[in-house]
Amino acid sequence: MAEKIVVVAGPTASGKTALGIALAKDFNGEIVSADSMQIYRGMDIGTAKASLAEREGIPHHMLDVAEPWEDYSVARYVEQAEACCRDILRRGKLPILVGGTGLYIDSLVSGRDFAAVDSDQGLREALSAEYDALGGEAMHRRLQEIDPERAAILHPGDKRRIVRALEVYRLTGMTITEHDRQTRALPKRFDAAAIHLNFKNRAALYARIDRRVDMMVEQGLFREVEGLLAAGLSPESTAMQAIGYKEAVRSLRGELRREEAVALIKQASRRYAKRQLTWFNRDKEALPILWEDEPDFEYARRLSTEFLHSRGLS
């Protein structure tokens, strides 16, 4: 039988970190991050990485596990995050997976064997060259024609995942969505009790996202990006394509005024949140917690505790 873990997921700026820490205190848990950008060292402000003070003494795993110039894969995340969860469980504690990268969460919980996934380096390089030549919008439209479900949750700028989805289809004749659907029929690695956060009013979420972006700018987002570039990180690296970093690079190059870059970061963050909600809304077994205008963590803590008790966690 798969061992139990907890998942706290939701769109950006929905309060996942705070609730995850509260539950870790109540259930003798440790946090395992499920954020595709918080894995990178030196990328703290733009990824909203919890500071040591914000972690409140709760151990956090899967933060700062890669250099920003590395090409980090889902398979590598699953390997490392599974090792973290197994170690936490061996020590008699509860892994609490916290983040907004649905692909990371689903891939870790599922029984997917990444070693068995078809790949072809030559085809991947050819598709990558096509992406560079035709642009992300054109390749995204191509994906939309064969796999509208996966296209709906990927941004045209997500070159690596668009190329991978097209590669899988060319090699197997099966969309990556169908591949993942078949994977979900396999025995799972973990029995995940999932809690999904959202707002009743989408405007409240968007306002919270806008405030978070303003706070990142005040905390030094542009200085952080300037420092990464000065350290030799290429603006074309995968890490620098993240929301907030890509726009800041354009501003530092003089292509955008700072206020224009900030507006674009807010817009891209809101669009990303919408894609996250599309992904997480597929899970009908998760406990949904819908905030009013602001999060009510005591209410969420009580509701989550009842839910986790019902799932056999104490």
Side-chain angles (χ1 to χ4, degrees):
M1 180 179 289
E3 294 181 282
K4 296 180 185 296
I5 68 171
V6 172
V7 172
V8 179
T12 185
S14 59
K16 300 181 294 292
T17 298
L19 181 59
I21 289 171
L23 294 177
K25 291 178 178 178
D26 293 343
F27 286 84
N28 190 29
E30 297 185 7
I31 303 296
V32 179
S33 173
D35 186 295
S36 61
M37 299 312 299
Q38 292 186 358
I39 58 171
Y40 293 117
R41 300 183 185 97
M43 300 180 71
D44 302 331
I45 297 170
T47 65
K49 198 178 294 177
S51 66
L52 288 176
E54 289 168 334
R55 297 175 202 177
E56 299 185 38
I58 300 297
H60 279 59
H61 306 271
M62 295 307 296
L63 300 175
D64 304 320
V65 296
E67 299 296 345
W69 54 82
E70 293 184 67
D71 189 11
Y72 196 91
S73 68
V74 179
R76 182 175 167 189
Y77 172 81
V78 169
E79 180 183 5
Q80 291 182 288
E82 180 181 6
C84 288
C85 290
R86 301 291 183 200
D87 177 62
I88 293 167
L89 289 162
R90 272 196 301 270
R91 292 185 281 107
K93 294 195 170 189
L94 178 65
I96 300 178
L97 195 62
V98 178
T101 305
L103 183 60
Y104 277 19
I105 294 169
D106 287 359
S107 298
L108 175 61
V109 171
S110 76
R112 183 177 178 186
D113 180 6
F114 283 88
V117 177
D118 291 277
S119 62
D120 182 311
Q121 186 63 31
L123 175 58
R124 186 176 300 181
E125 290 176 358
L127 288 168
S128 179
E130 279 190 70
Y131 183 102
D132 293 340
L134 301 176
E137 295 286 350
M139 296 296 274
H140 187 264
R141 283 195 297 272
R142 184 183 298 181
L143 177 61
Q144 196 167 34
E145 290 173 3
I146 61 171
D147 190 355
E149 288 185 64
R150 183 51 56 94
I153 57 176
L154 292 182
H155 188 274
D158 196 342
K159 174 182 175 179
R160 182 162 55 85
R161 292 194 176 99
I162 289 174
V163 166
R164 178 58 178 152
L166 292 170
E167 177 195 11
V168 168
Y169 183 74
R170 290 275 294 273
L171 288 171
T172 68
M174 180 189 300
T175 67
I176 201 165
T177 296
E178 179 58 28
H179 180 275
D180 290 349
R181 190 174 290 123
Q182 292 185 12
T183 295
R184 287 194 288 273
L186 298 172
K188 293 187 174 183
R189 283 188 184 86
F190 298 106
D191 178 10
I195 300 162
H196 290 174
L197 306 182
N198 194 5
F199 285 78
K200 291 181 180 179
N201 183 351
R202 186 69 62 86
L205 171 62
Y206 289 171
R208 190 171 167 88
I209 289 171
D210 288 351
R211 290 198 300 273
R212 169 175 280 190
V213 172
D214 288 335
M215 185 181 300
M216 287 176 175
V217 173
E218 290 173 11
Q219 291 172 340
L221 172 61
F222 287 83
R223 289 193 301 276
E224 180 172 82
V225 174
E226 198 168 21
L228 290 166
L229 294 173
L233 182 62
S234 168
E236 310 307 320
S237 65
T238 299
M240 276 300 203
Q241 302 313 302
I243 295 170
Y245 292 86
K246 177 172 58 178
E247 296 83 359
V249 166
R250 292 184 62 194
S251 176
L252 292 168
R253 284 173 164 175
E255 297 172 11
L256 295 171
R257 297 195 306 275
R258 179 165 294 200
E259 57 269 27
E260 290 175 324
V262 172
L264 285 176
I265 294 169
K266 291 177 179 179
Q267 181 184 65
S269 298
R270 293 192 295 266
R271 288 175 174 170
Y272 177 53
K274 189 174 180 180
R275 294 195 300 276
Q276 288 175 299
L277 289 168
T278 298
W279 183 291
F280 292 125
N281 285 342
R282 300 176 308 160
D283 185 355
K284 304 306 179 185
E285 296 182 2
L287 170 69
I289 295 180
L290 300 177
W291 307 123
E292 298 290 349
D293 289 341
E294 291 293 333
D296 181 346
F297 289 109
E298 281 308 309
Y299 163 75
R301 200 171 186 170
R302 291 195 303 271
L303 205 61
S304 300
T305 297
E306 292 172 5
F307 172 68
L308 296 180
H309 285 166
S310 76
R311 292 292 301 270
L313 294 163
S314 59

